[in-house]
Amino acid sequence: MQLYNKNSYPLKEIEDNSIDALITDPPYGISYQNNYWDKDLPLKEIWENSFRTLKYGGFGLVFSSVRLMHRLMVDLEDSGFIIKDVLFWSYLNGMPKSRNVGLSIDKELGVESKKIGEYKYVQGYKEKKDYKATKKDKLSPASELGIKYDGAGLGIKPAYEPIILIQKPLKKGLNVSQNIIKYGTGALNFENTRIPYQDGEGKVGHNPHPKGRIPSNIIRTETQDDGYDKFFVVPKVRQKKDDFNSHPTLKPVELMHHLIKLITFENQLILDPFMGSGSTGVGALELERDFIGYELDKEYFEIAKKRVENMKKNLEYSLF
Ligand SMILES: C[S@@+](CC[C@H](N)C(=O)[O-])C[C@H]1O[C@@H](n2cnc3c(N)ncnc32)[C@H](O)[C@@H]1O
């Protein structure tokens, strides 16, 4: 396991064709919560170098945003990767970034909106010890045009995060089996990621697999009320679940487990060039995979190191 506190772009420490899988949650380029590192999408250089370091037939999973995944996908494709699929991690608790356009129209027209009550305002998950919820006025538009547009908004409720599934092409001239024999890469690992059949459910197909269905490209944060759930379910995690972890875009280790199991086999080597607080590394350790991670920010790097060390200790204890 290697963790580097440096810019990942050159990936100088890594030999060509040596990594089995790329799993990463890069900056989305949307200035999420004004984080300085999220202003822009990563440069194409990192995907070109990831391509260079990945083995032939190796898979990758790259988190992205609904708004900019198209640009990221073009960069990945232009760097040589095949776009295989886009997984949707769907959730119910997304916050629409919107406002009442009717009130904005009142403001524009210089008309004072009507106060119809008060509400408590707490921003995101940022509740700190000394943080108090502020009271805000509940308003209703007063101008004629404002009333017409009362409740109109600018953005629909977000309900999924896309995760792009990519693959470095097989070595020229080799078929899948030959590629696996030579490099150990080229196929997805369904054995541990199948979705079990529900008790009593009629099995699908002529020769149903005893462990259940092949995992789909939808992952959910909770079961939804549409009969029995045929999807892999991983709840979101709140910031600071580990009390020392202040990373604002922490991904659940349980989700990383699923992704790791899907595109790697035991003892394979995973690269995460944007590891943040190290969720991919922690998941990799638990599943007996090797890991190389990069993180530019010193504070996040220290968190990742601590999480990985804690996990190592837990694993050592669990041997006795
Ligand atoms: C979306 S966050 C990853 C969060 C991670 N999934 C977790 O669970 O903690 C992306 C991270 O990439 C880091 N980063 C941005 N540019 C980088 C670069 N050039 N080299 C290394 N890390 C970088 C940021 O500091 C940020 O922590």
Side-chain angles (χ1 to χ4, degrees):
M1 169 146 318
Q2 284 291 341
L3 306 184
Y4 296 106
N5 180 202
K6 63 193 315 192
N7 173 22
S8 57
Y9 285 11
L11 293 181
K12 264 204 237 122
E13 297 74 13
I14 307 184
E15 280 178 29
D16 294 2
N17 307 313
S18 61
I19 300 284
D20 293 291
L22 169 76
I23 301 183
T24 193
D25 175 24
Y28 289 180
I30 56 172
S31 292
Y32 178 70
Q33 291 182 349
N34 285 329
N35 285 296
Y36 75 92
W37 48 263
D38 197 43
K39 273 198 241 117
D40 298 304
L41 279 175
L43 296 180
K44 210 170 91 190
E45 181 189 343
I46 183 59
W47 309 123
E48 291 165 347
N49 282 324
S50 299
F51 185 86
R52 167 182 71 72
T53 59
L54 213 66
K55 291 182 184 169
Y56 293 102
F59 284 93
L61 284 164
V62 184
F63 283 84
S64 186
S65 72
V66 174
R67 269 168 48 199
L68 288 182
M69 68 171 153
H70 59 294
R71 294 213 171 275
L72 181 55
M73 283 161 92
V74 168
D75 281 350
L76 290 165
E77 201 173 57
D78 287 351
S79 304
F81 288 108
I82 304 166
I83 306 288
K84 297 287 288 186
D85 210 321
V86 179
L87 279 64
F88 279 15
W89 184 32
S90 82
Y91 46 87
L92 299 176
N93 57 352
M95 290 281 281
K97 274 192 199 60
S98 204
R99 60 176 130 135
N100 186 343
V101 171
L103 296 176
S104 308
I105 291 174
D106 272 5
K107 206 168 168 190
E108 194 62 36
L109 294 174
V111 174
E112 197 177 332
S113 305
K114 257 189 301 181
K115 181 174 169 179
I116 51 170
E118 279 185 339
Y119 67 96
K120 261 209 250 166
Y121 176 75
V122 182
Q123 200 200 356
Y125 308 135
K126 278 185 173 166
E127 213 164 354
K128 297 190 185 121
K129 268 185 215 139
D130 53 351
Y131 186 88
K132 285 194 190 87
T134 45
K135 274 193 180 163
K136 287 203 167 196
D137 289 343
K138 215 181 218 178
L139 299 172
S140 173
S143 68
E144 197 181 334
L145 197 61
I147 291 168
K148 180 172 174 187
Y149 283 91
D150 187 13
L154 303 176
I156 54 178
K157 178 181 159 67
Y160 70 85
E161 268 182 60
I163 310 171
I164 306 162
L165 176 64
I166 53 174
Q167 187 182 20
K168 177 164 168 171
L170 305 176
K171 174 84 174 164
K172 218 169 175 184
L174 300 189
N175 63 30
V176 173
S177 315
Q178 291 165 340
N179 200 90
I180 292 174
I181 292 164
K182 187 147 190 205
Y183 301 106
T185 40
L188 297 168
N189 184 354
F190 296 144
E191 271 313 280
N192 296 316
T193 46
R194 283 184 180 268
I195 311 295
Y197 293 108
Q198 197 186 37
D199 281 350
E201 188 207 5
K203 309 251 184 309
V204 180
H206 299 293
N207 185 17
H209 193 285
K211 283 190 174 172
R213 289 185 164 81
I214 286 181
S216 81
N217 53 12
I218 293 185
I219 302 167
R220 290 173 165 179
T221 55
E222 46 240 293
T223 53
Q224 289 169 24
D225 197 10
D226 50 5
Y228 125 77
D229 209 297
K230 302 178 184 69
F231 303 98
F232 187 73
V233 178
V234 187
K236 283 210 160 200
V237 277
R238 291 278 189 251
Q239 194 180 349
K240 295 189 177 170
K241 195 176 175 227
D242 291 322
D243 53 3
F244 60 88
N245 191 349
S246 56
H247 202 292
T249 64
L250 172 67
K251 289 288 181 306
V253 174
E254 205 188 330
L255 175 63
M256 303 321 293
H257 278 168
H258 178 64
L259 302 180
I260 291 167
K261 284 196 271 185
L262 189 61
I263 65 166
T264 65
F265 294 78
E266 266 180 27
N267 301 318
Q268 288 194 325
L269 174 59
I270 299 167
L271 167 67
D272 184 350
F274 301 101
M275 72 172 162
S277 65
S279 308
T280 314
V282 171
L285 258 180
E286 275 182 283
L287 293 171
E288 295 181 32
R289 270 67 165 171
D290 205 355
F291 177 75
I292 301 181
Y294 288 80
E295 173 53 50
L296 190 53
D297 185 291
K298 177 86 181 136
E299 189 186 328
Y300 298 151
F301 175 78
E302 291 303 328
I303 296 170
K305 224 171 87 182
K306 190 164 170 187
R307 285 180 82 201
V308 163
E309 277 160 13
N310 285 352
M311 178 50 65
K312 272 190 189 155
K313 270 187 219 145
N314 288 345
L315 290 173
E316 276 163 28
Y317 289 137
S318 67
L319 290 177
F320 299 101

